[in-house]
Amino acid sequence: MSRLEVKMPGQAQAVVEQLYRNMERRIAASPPGLCPVDMALNFLNLCQAQTCGKCVPCRIGLTQLSNMIREVLDGDPPVGILRRIENTAQVIVDTADCAIGIDAAQLVLMGLKGFRDDYEEHILHHRCLGSLKNPVPCVALCPAGVDIPGYIALVNEGRCADAVRLIRKDNPFPVACAYICEHPCEARCRRNMVDDAINIRGLKRYAVDHAGPVPQPQPAPATGKSVAIIGGGPGGLSAAYYLALMGHRVTVYEKQKQLGGMMRYGIPSYRLPRQLLEAEIASILSVGIQVRTGVDVGTDITFDQLKRRYDCLYISIGAHTDKKTGIEGEDSQGVISAVELLRRIGDEEMPDFTGQQVVVIGGGNVAMDVTRSAIRLGAAKVTCVYRRRQEDMTAQAEEVEGAIAEGAEILTLQAPLRIEADDQGRAAALWTQPQIIGEMDRQGRPRPGTASVEPRRIPADIIIVAIGQGIESHGFEQSGIQIQRGGTLLADSSTRLPDLEGVFAGGDCVTGPATVIRAIAAGKAAAANIDEYLGFHHEIEAEVKVPTPRVTDLGPRGRVNCGDREAAERRCDFQCIECGMTKEEAVQESSRCLRCDHFGYGIFKGGRVEKW
């Protein structure tokens, strides 16, 4: 008899591996709005199924936890059961022999802290706080609530102009978002259960590229009410657009020379071509919006003057100031902020970096934008320095990969220490302290710590600081507007400012630096609430008939991704780097949509919001 045998994967193991992959897909596709207590119970049972049962905390403790949470969901327990759940979970964390029991119990503790209100609601009133008002995952996760299945169906039928009209109902910037949106809508796409999420942004790009000129709808009759919008970025222009469609007289006040906000002064034209942005802004203004550029509210005109002149105000000033690193030598010549560089590029004032060594400090999307811009401005070498690992960067993975393909060096686990200057006071090098990765922080990213390694010198002619942005709110605090820590304005979820009648605020100046689509969503919400405040109830709708869903082949199929121009070619100019879909690709990709707006809960629970 043989002493040892070669282990070969059997049929049973292959099936188990496939079951794991299917489970991962279902978890990845879990939609928002599900009961968090029920989800916690299911995750706990999944973890319990993996235990060996060797130690008492796992074998008995996890079963007790499962029974108690099930009693919360289906029984009539006293409120004190939450204390028992918490104590039991903590004992398991402290005494379990391995990570399986510890992790399962920590999951329960995390849920008790994160959604305790849901537990109490089940116990006291036998109901769930979770909402299935909008069960379509992509629509629920789009901050602006765009009818995504609707416009995908229109693209599938070749009705691109109607697709643009449908998008404009909730988002007046279909072109800009088709090029630069971070597509949060794809995160819970149910197609993940089959193969991969729909390329939603790519289909939007196809729609806007093939729609041709799409006229704006006619505004409602004039109401006689006036609204001032402070800030001409995506949030301010979105609010102005919908208010103008409602018949109000709208004036936008913008500090910079041109409109667009961070779409112009924060996103390079290789991502969002300037001519497309300008055409879209002109289309928005065509509904009757007045504009005053080069006006600094707080200096050229006071906030109180605007308040007396208009019936309502919306503040959407964005986050356009730079943040300092606070390290020695930061005031040296040749040290510039990412905000300053991108603002110059936005005004077509291109600096010349020919032959110079450029070092970028930061790991977000802005850091990637200035890294890739520096390459296009002629830099001999561009190095992006980040204090964490590459996988911990907040920048989109495709942006990081694109920068590397264009020749940038990503230097990770290096914390900026000081900036070395030459005799003339110009930056000569960035000194960094190597880091070692450590424990997880609250966001789930491992914290870097100082490594026992000598500091590193990185030669540099230009150092660009891209570690975040701030809000310039100095012109508003004198008028009674409450400024929070960090400089953001205090506003509630309806965009109203407390204790100030007729004043609303939204976007980056309230939330801190965020995405374009979130600013658009804030502008949309503000427009609806301002309209109600002024005594009206106008409704915005798109007179577009969405195609009837049909049963299609739902078998697994690869996702169509948009390609880029060759790295060696695109690194030399600021022309758009991304290639759009062909008609064949768009038809195939749009046919993968499962039409969650119709099937499942979609047909019963508000799958389509036709007007707001």
Side-chain angles (χ1 to χ4, degrees):
M1 179 175 286
S2 303
R3 282 183 65 189
L4 297 174
E5 293 181 358
V6 177
K7 293 183 179 180
M8 303 291 290
Q11 181 66 26
Q13 185 59 35
V15 172
V16 169
E17 294 295 335
Q18 184 61 49
L19 288 173
Y20 270 116
R21 286 192 290 270
N22 290 345
M23 180 63 69
E24 289 170 359
R25 287 200 186 103
R26 294 193 72 85
I27 292 173
S30 61
L34 297 180
C35 171
V37 181
D38 189 44
M39 287 290 287
L41 176 60
N42 283 286
F43 281 128
L44 174 62
N45 291 338
L46 181 64
C47 295
Q48 187 182 8
Q50 296 176 320
T51 65
C52 66
K54 178 182 176 182
C55 68
V56 172
C58 275
R59 187 175 66 251
I60 298 177
L62 293 182
T63 301
Q64 289 180 341
L65 277 181
S66 178
N67 291 339
M68 285 188 284
I69 296 177
R70 187 173 285 108
E71 189 177 357
V72 169
L73 285 169
D74 303 325
D76 192 15
V79 177
I81 195 173
L82 295 184
R83 173 59 62 183
R84 283 170 38 214
I85 292 174
E86 188 172 10
N87 290 340
T88 303
Q90 189 61 57
V91 168
I92 297 173
V93 169
D94 295 337
T95 61
D97 285 348
C98 74
I100 294 176
I102 294 171
D103 187 64
Q106 283 178 334
L107 183 148
V108 174
L109 289 174
M110 188 187 307
L112 279 172
K113 293 178 182 177
F115 43 85
R116 194 180 189 91
D117 290 348
D118 293 87
Y119 276 97
E120 293 174 351
E121 191 72 16
H122 276 286
I123 294 170
L124 299 174
H125 302 109
H126 307 290
R127 66 186 183 187
C128 182
L129 288 177
S131 171
L132 284 172
K133 181 180 180 181
N134 192 343
V136 184
C138 56
V139 179
L141 286 173
C142 174
V146 174
D147 186 351
I148 293 167
Y151 79 71
I152 287 178
L154 291 166
V155 169
N156 186 254
E157 292 200 349
R159 296 165 56 190
C160 292
D162 281 344
V164 170
R165 291 187 183 94
L166 187 61
I167 295 168
R168 280 180 180 166
K169 175 177 70 71
D170 302 287
N171 175 2
F173 285 97
V175 176
C177 287
Y179 280 79
I180 52 93
C181 185
E182 293 186 325
H183 47 79
C185 49
E186 294 184 17
R188 290 288 184 268
C189 175
R190 284 201 182 103
R191 187 74 197 194
N192 273 311
M193 291 189 289
V194 182
D195 38 52
D196 201 356
I198 304 291
N199 188 346
I200 296 173
R201 187 181 66 81
L203 290 171
K204 185 185 295 181
R205 164 81 187 269
Y206 179 85
V208 300
D209 285 349
H210 294 81
V214 182
Q216 295 285 357
Q218 285 297 315
T223 63
K225 299 293 185 179
S226 61
V227 182
I229 308 292
I230 304 173
L237 288 177
S238 295
Y241 173 78
Y242 290 119
L243 287 167
L245 288 182
M246 294 169 181
H248 306 301
R249 181 167 55 85
V250 182
T251 304
V252 175
Y253 290 84
E254 169 56 44
K255 180 179 178 180
Q256 302 298 331
K257 302 176 186 177
Q258 303 178 77
L259 297 174
M262 292 306 288
M263 292 188 298
R264 180 185 298 276
Y265 294 107
I267 298 174
S269 58
Y270 67 78
R271 288 181 58 202
L272 177 57
R274 287 292 172 266
Q275 67 274 18
L276 296 181
L277 176 62
E278 289 169 359
E280 186 150 59
I281 291 175
S283 177
I284 288 172
L285 298 182
S286 69
V287 300
I289 300 169
Q290 299 177 3
V291 175
R292 292 189 60 187
T293 56
V295 178
D296 185 359
V297 175
T299 303
D300 301 323
I301 187 171
T302 67
F303 176 81
D304 293 328
Q305 286 175 320
L306 289 178
K307 198 170 183 301
R308 288 193 296 268
R309 189 178 300 177
Y310 294 90
D311 297 305
C312 228
L313 271 71
Y314 178 57
I315 305 172
S316 183
I317 56 176
H320 293 269
T321 62
D322 58 291
K323 288 187 176 180
K324 305 294 184 181
T325 61
I327 61 176
E328 178 187 344
E330 191 172 19
D331 295 329
S332 303
Q333 295 180 44
V335 180
I336 60 177
S337 72
V339 172
E340 177 189 345
L341 176 62
L342 292 174
R343 185 177 296 142
R344 291 176 62 186
I345 293 174
D347 280 332
E348 302 295 331
E349 299 172 3
M350 301 295 186
D352 185 7
F353 290 167
T354 302
Q356 295 181 310
Q357 296 185 78
V358 177
V359 173
V360 178
I361 302 174
N365 283 321
V366 173
M368 290 302 104
D369 285 339
V370 293
T371 295
R372 301 177 77 174
S373 295
I375 293 171
R376 287 160 173 77
L377 294 171
K381 181 181 180 182
V382 181
T383 304
C384 181
V385 174
Y386 186 54
R387 67 191 185 99
R388 299 179 189 258
R389 304 172 303 174
Q390 183 172 321
E391 55 265 40
D392 301 322
M393 283 183 160
T394 57
Q396 290 181 279
E398 54 263 36
E399 289 295 314
V400 180
E401 293 164 5
I404 293 172
E406 292 166 6
E409 178 185 15
I410 307 297
L411 198 57
T412 57
L413 291 174
Q414 300 290 328
L417 196 60
R418 64 184 178 88
I419 293 173
E420 175 189 326
D422 59 20
D423 296 338
Q424 285 75 42
R426 287 197 58 84
L430 173 68
W431 284 86
T432 63
Q433 175 61 55
Q435 304 288 289
I436 183 170
I437 213 64
E439 295 181 355
M440 297 291 184
D441 60 17
R442 292 182 179 178
Q443 286 73 42
R445 294 192 303 168
R447 292 188 184 92
T450 302
S452 301
V453 181
E454 290 297 316
R456 178 172 179 173
R457 184 181 186 273
I458 306 170
D461 302 305
I462 300 291
I463 297 176
I464 306 173
V465 180
I467 60 169
Q469 296 145 253
I471 294 92
E472 194 172 349
S473 52
H474 71 274
F476 300 96
E477 20 187 40
Q478 294 90 348
S479 303
I481 295 177
Q482 297 183 41
I483 308 298
Q484 302 182 94
R485 184 178 180 181
T488 56
L489 278 58
L490 179 62
D492 59 26
S493 59
S494 68
T495 68
R496 289 176 180 266
L497 290 184
D499 305 325
L500 276 177
E501 196 68 23
V503 182
F504 297 73
D508 290 1
C509 65
V510 171
T511 63
T515 59
V516 168
I517 189 63
R518 292 197 177 279
I520 290 170
K524 172 186 170 183
N529 295 327
I530 289 172
D531 185 61
E532 292 285 333
Y533 173 82
L534 294 174
F536 301 89
H537 188 75
H538 292 98
E539 293 179 330
I540 302 294
E541 60 182 319
E543 296 180 357
V544 176
K545 182 175 176 55
V546 175
T548 303
R550 57 179 182 268
V551 178
T552 57
D553 178 15
L554 302 182
R557 183 185 300 170
R559 166 185 163 117
V560 175
N561 289 313
C562 298
D564 291 336
R565 294 163 55 206
E566 290 185 12
E569 173 191 333
R570 69 178 190 247
R571 72 191 302 275
C572 300
D573 57 47
F574 278 85
Q575 300 302 311
C576 185
I577 62 174
E578 188 182 61
C579 305
M581 291 184 184
T582 64
K583 180 180 179 180
E584 180 183 23
E585 290 173 330
V587 170
Q588 177 173 309
E589 185 64 10
S590 58
S591 69
R592 294 176 62 233
C593 180
L594 299 178
R595 289 302 300 270
C596 299
D597 59 315
H598 178 83
F599 298 107
Y601 273 112
I603 194 66
F604 301 112
K605 298 281 187 176
R608 168 154 295 104
V609 178
E610 296 184 351
K611 56 187 176 181
W612 57 271

